[in-house]
Amino acid sequence: MNEIKLTQFSHGGGCGCKIAPGVLSELLAKMPPGVVPPELLVGTDTADDAAVYKLNERQAIVATTDFFTPIVDNARDFGRIAATNALSDVYAMGATPILALAVVGMPLDKLPPEVIGEILQGGAEVCRAAGIPIAGGHSIDVLEPIYGLVGLGVVDPARVRTNAGAHAGDVLILSKPLGIGILSAGLKKGRLSAHGYAEMLRWTTTLNRAGAHLADIDGVHAVTDVTGFGLAGHLLEMCRGAGLGAALQFDRLPVIAEALALVQAGVATGASERNWASYGEAIDLADTAPEWQRRLLTDPQTSGGLLIACAPQAVDAVQAAILAEQGEAGAVIGTMEAGPARVGIA
């Protein structure tokens, strides 16, 4: 419908525009201590996906917000991706979304109302698919387009799954393939094919609804979603939360085919470099490993998959839950191990 390319207005797109994890840690460390009521089951301590506040013995509220600048040029697609990504944090906690609020910042002197309307329409379509309303929100006039959601969900307090509960010996499962940041970089460079774009859109608009079912499975110990800090960064958070190490099998990592070709040809995001600078000292990757492997491990995933740590006997049930929701099972990529909080790559 429109000829406007949204990515021309943004210095970085999707979860690739997140503040680097090292800088974010420094900022959070300087925050003065706040009120921490006993009902706050999950706050900022473990860098988890959302806050969880206990209402009573059977109900807790899960609250999160996520928004970013355009990762694609098409307005409706941008809205769909941003909304899917925002709701992922609710699912990652084992919760079911109940409503959303829109977060909207638009350069009103540069984007016509119909383009902004398409962005909002895309977000609303995803919320309808998730079975929830957009019940309000807030909008401002800014220099770069920004869109996302505040997501609210409900969960039984006993069913909450954080990123910090992994056990030694747990199997690691990733529900979606890697490579979204690489594809977005390829798009900006004019090197992404129509098929590659379709694959990018397919995975970034697939809701992580399996997360709401994982807490019902005995042996599921920890869940997080893989977003702006890349697979290595979010797995490292899981390690630190549990006081364990992790061992990844690189050849088992699921990767979108065109993303693999692009990263091997040198295409990557600047966020990948910032991620490695923030936590690379805790990643044991062989010095002889090609550069593209590091870039893949740190590639920022917009609306990425769920990373699940579960007992070996729970793997089949977890895979069945993922298959039922997205039509494709996840990939077994490694294990959690006793030892220091590091990620080893074999």
Side-chain angles (χ1 to χ4, degrees):
M1 172 182 175
N2 67 81
E3 299 298 320
I4 292 177
K5 293 186 175 182
L6 290 179
T7 57
Q8 70 180 315
F9 299 110
S10 60
H11 71 286
C15 288
C17 65
K18 291 177 70 171
I19 295 175
V23 176
L24 181 60
S25 295
E26 291 181 15
L27 294 174
L28 293 176
K30 295 176 182 178
M31 287 179 59
V35 177
V36 183
E39 294 85 1
L40 185 63
L41 304 181
V42 180
T44 61
D45 292 345
T46 58
D48 223 314
D49 299 299
V52 182
Y53 188 92
K54 182 179 177 180
L55 298 177
N56 53 55
E57 294 304 314
R58 297 298 303 275
Q59 293 177 309
I61 289 288
V62 174
T64 185
T65 186
D66 210 313
F67 51 88
F68 46 61
T69 54
I71 187 174
V72 294
D73 291 321
N74 181 274
R76 177 172 163 267
D77 290 346
F78 171 44
R80 293 171 64 204
I81 293 168
T84 306
N85 178 75
L87 294 180
S88 182
D89 287 340
V90 176
Y91 290 122
M93 305 302 295
T96 299
I98 55 173
L99 64 85
L101 307 175
V103 178
V104 184
M106 296 291 157
L108 298 180
D109 61 334
K110 298 174 183 176
L111 291 182
E114 58 268 24
V115 173
I116 299 173
E118 286 184 58
I119 296 171
L120 302 183
Q121 178 185 344
E125 288 176 7
V126 166
C127 288
R128 280 196 299 272
I132 64 170
I134 295 181
H138 187 64
S139 60
I140 59 172
D141 185 2
V142 292
L143 298 178
E144 293 182 284
I146 297 170
Y147 178 70
L149 301 175
V150 173
L152 298 177
V154 292
V155 66
D156 186 325
R159 296 179 65 252
V160 173
R161 290 297 180 268
T162 72
N163 67 355
H167 296 184
D170 277 353
V171 174
L172 292 168
I173 299 174
L174 182 62
S175 68
K176 292 183 183 181
L178 301 172
I180 297 301
I182 295 160
L183 294 180
S184 71
L187 177 66
K188 276 197 166 187
K189 294 175 182 294
R191 297 177 62 175
L192 186 65
S193 71
H195 176 74
Y197 183 82
E199 281 293 283
M200 178 181 176
L201 192 62
R202 170 195 174 190
W203 289 112
T204 54
T205 59
T206 296
L207 287 163
N208 281 323
R209 282 184 287 215
H213 308 297
L214 294 178
D216 292 328
I217 301 172
D218 289 339
V220 172
H221 298 138
V223 182
T224 191
D225 63 336
V226 179
T227 53
F229 299 158
L231 173 62
H234 289 285
L235 178 53
L236 185 59
E237 289 180 338
M238 188 178 280
C239 290
R240 288 169 174 167
L244 297 171
L248 286 183
Q249 298 292 320
F250 190 88
D251 59 358
R252 292 189 176 186
L253 298 182
V255 187
I256 298 170
E258 190 157 336
L260 181 59
L262 285 170
V263 74
Q264 289 177 337
V267 176
T269 69
S272 177
E273 298 301 317
R274 294 193 297 272
N275 282 342
W276 184 260
S278 294
Y279 58 69
E281 77 285 348
I283 310 300
D284 297 322
L285 182 64
D287 293 338
T288 56
E291 184 74 9
W292 66 265
Q293 291 189 4
R294 176 172 64 80
R295 290 174 173 172
L296 182 64
L297 290 164
T298 57
D299 185 48
Q301 302 305 289
T302 299
S303 193
L306 298 175
L307 179 61
I308 303 143
C310 67
Q313 61 269 25
V315 169
D316 288 347
V318 169
Q319 291 284 42
I322 296 171
L323 179 64
E325 289 295 345
Q326 66 182 38
E328 206 171 294
V332 174
I333 62 171
T335 55
M336 299 295 294
E337 300 181 339
R342 301 185 64 84
V343 176
I345 317 293

